[in-house]
């Protein structure tokens, strides 16, 4: 796993050349995770990157299986291989599960519980970060309104966002989300404080399977709060629903929202709902853009 010998490289390249598709199983050994197993670098251990590049250079499609107990830096792989499957340490049934997925007998539906960085210098990297005093805004060259400026919260050499964000996961099908609708545009914060079991707000979205396979999607609901007495993350996961759809099928998904979903801890470590502005995002990952807005009144 972490050696430097290239004695098997020629055989791996030859096998790839004689195959329609190359499947590479790379990553960490199980003893590289857990207690007393921290790593300063998150690249593929040893000379695995060199092996990967040698096989990719054959021009054959490459499917990369990543065994790891942590997010790794896979930026080069993401640009050069046909598919990446993060398999973690799946136990004694790992082999059959991986084979069933690779051969299409099972449609993958897993979502990442951690963000994968583009570079180790991005760590700690997490989706529910606090907003900054210098937001990136139009400092991204890919943005239509790009303005060249220095004093913004960004890296000079890599984008700010994750390579694979929290909640991300592809399928052998595709899904389209409708706009998010809300059952009301305002809620009394006092009423939520008084009745903490009520869920007077319902966020609704429809999801359509636009692919050719029956597949499962994990629909995720995130909430952002602005104007609260203490700064709040850019978004927090507040609910998810697992739905299975046939090709062309559409399903409505509802997320009830109440005290538990709309509250936060103030400076006195009290769980409260205050008058504030809220945004609800619903989609297939933490980068969901379909959103709706409402307010909480006194």
């Amino acid at each position: 796993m972490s050696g430097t010998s290239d004695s098997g490289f020629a055989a791996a390249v030859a096998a790839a050349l004689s195959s329609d598709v190359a499947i590479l199983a790379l990553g960490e050994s199980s003893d590289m995770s857990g207690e007393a197993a921290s790593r300063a670098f998150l690249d593929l251990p040893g000379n695995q990157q060199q092996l990967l590049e040698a096989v990719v250079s054959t021009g054959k499609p490459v499917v990369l299986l990543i065994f790891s107990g942590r997010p790794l830096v896979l930026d080069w792989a993401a640009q050069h291989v046909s598919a990446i499957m993060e398999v973690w340490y799946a136990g004694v049934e790992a082999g059959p599960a991986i084979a069933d997925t690779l051969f299409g007998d099972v449609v993958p539906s897993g979502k990442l519980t951690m963000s994968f960085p583009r570079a180790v210098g991005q760590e700690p990297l997490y989706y529910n970060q606090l907003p900054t005093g210098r937001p990136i805004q139009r400092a991204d060259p890919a943005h239509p309104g790009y303005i060249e400026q220095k004093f913004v919260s960004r890296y000079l050499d890599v984008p700010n966002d994750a390579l694979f964000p929290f909640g991300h996961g592809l399928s052998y099908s595709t899904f389209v989300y409708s706009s998010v609708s809300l059952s009301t545009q305002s809620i009394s914060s006092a009423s939520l404080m008084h009745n903490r079991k009520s869920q007077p707000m319902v966020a609704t979205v429809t999801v359509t399977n636009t692919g050719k396979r029956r597949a499962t999607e994990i629909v995720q609901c995130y909430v952002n709060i602005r104007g609260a007495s203490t700064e709040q993350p850019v978004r927090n996961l507040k609910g998810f629903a697992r739905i299975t759809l046939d090709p062309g099928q559409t399903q409505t998904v509802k997320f009830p929202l109440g005290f538990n979903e709309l509250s936060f801890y103030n400076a006195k470590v009290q769980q409260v709902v205050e008058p504030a502005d809220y945004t609800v995002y619903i989609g297939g990952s933490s980068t969901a853009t379909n959103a709706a807005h409402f307010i909480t009144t006194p």
Side-chain angles (χ1 to χ4, degrees):
M1 280 288 186
S2 57
T4 58
S5 173
D6 61 358
S7 61
F9 281 27
V13 169
L17 286 170
S18 63
S19 305
D20 295 328
V21 177
I23 299 174
L24 273 178
L26 303 178
E28 301 175 323
S29 59
S30 59
D31 60 1
M32 297 178 75
S33 289
E35 187 175 1
S38 298
R39 294 183 63 199
F41 299 95
L42 298 178
D43 304 299
L44 292 169
N47 61 353
Q48 292 183 42
Q49 180 65 32
Q50 287 71 36
L51 173 60
L52 174 61
E53 293 181 17
V55 174
V56 168
S57 69
T58 65
K60 297 289 186 175
V62 175
V63 175
L64 178 59
L65 306 181
I66 294 294
F67 292 80
S68 70
R70 58 170 63 84
L72 300 182
V73 174
L74 302 172
D75 193 49
W76 189 92
Q79 297 178 49
H80 292 88
V81 306
S82 300
I84 299 175
M85 185 189 303
E86 172 62 60
V87 298
W88 308 108
Y89 301 128
V92 295
E93 289 298 320
I98 292 170
D100 286 345
T101 305
L102 288 176
F103 283 97
D105 297 329
V106 173
V107 178
S109 60
K111 301 286 188 175
L112 289 179
T113 56
M114 293 178 281
S115 297
F116 277 52
R118 299 176 184 273
V120 69
Q122 288 181 287
E123 296 292 0
L125 180 67
Y126 44 95
Y127 83 95
N128 56 342
Q129 61 188 350
L130 292 174
T132 72
R134 290 177 173 174
I136 189 168
Q137 294 178 337
R138 290 180 290 177
D140 181 356
H143 192 282
Y146 170 64
I147 298 177
E148 185 174 356
Q149 51 188 312
K150 180 177 181 180
F151 296 103
V152 292
S153 295
R154 64 164 177 164
Y155 297 101
L156 295 176
D157 43 5
V158 296
N160 280 18
D161 61 348
L163 176 64
F164 301 122
F166 177 91
H168 172 75
L170 299 181
S171 169
Y172 292 152
S173 192
T174 53
F175 301 92
V176 170
Y177 286 74
S178 72
S179 300
V180 179
S181 63
L182 302 176
S183 58
T184 181
Q185 298 302 308
S186 66
I187 308 174
S188 164
S189 58
S191 65
L192 287 172
M193 292 288 291
H194 178 72
N195 187 357
R196 300 193 174 194
K197 293 184 178 181
S198 67
Q199 292 180 307
M201 169 72 72
V202 177
T204 303
V205 71
T206 60
V207 184
T208 303
N209 180 349
T210 55
K212 298 180 180 179
R213 295 285 305 272
R214 176 179 171 86
T216 297
E217 171 71 333
I218 300 177
V219 184
Q220 302 160 49
C221 178
Y222 296 85
V223 172
N224 165 251
I225 309 173
R226 297 178 311 283
S229 60
T230 57
E231 192 65 271
Q232 297 301 304
V234 293
R235 62 183 66 187
N236 269 323
L237 179 66
K238 292 300 182 179
F240 64 90
R242 188 179 182 90
I243 62 172
T244 300
L245 302 175
D246 291 321
Q249 183 180 0
T250 296
Q251 182 171 328
T252 298
V253 181
K254 297 179 181 293
F255 291 99
L257 303 175
F259 178 83
N260 288 333
E261 293 77 22
L262 305 179
S263 62
F264 61 92
Y265 285 91
N266 63 16
K268 297 180 180 180
V269 198
Q270 299 168 326
Q271 190 175 6
V272 298
V273 177
E274 298 176 347
D277 296 321
Y278 284 76
T279 302
V280 180
Y281 300 90
I282 302 179
S285 78
S286 59
T287 61
T289 56
N290 288 5
H293 309 275
F294 70 96
I295 63 171
T296 48
T297 59

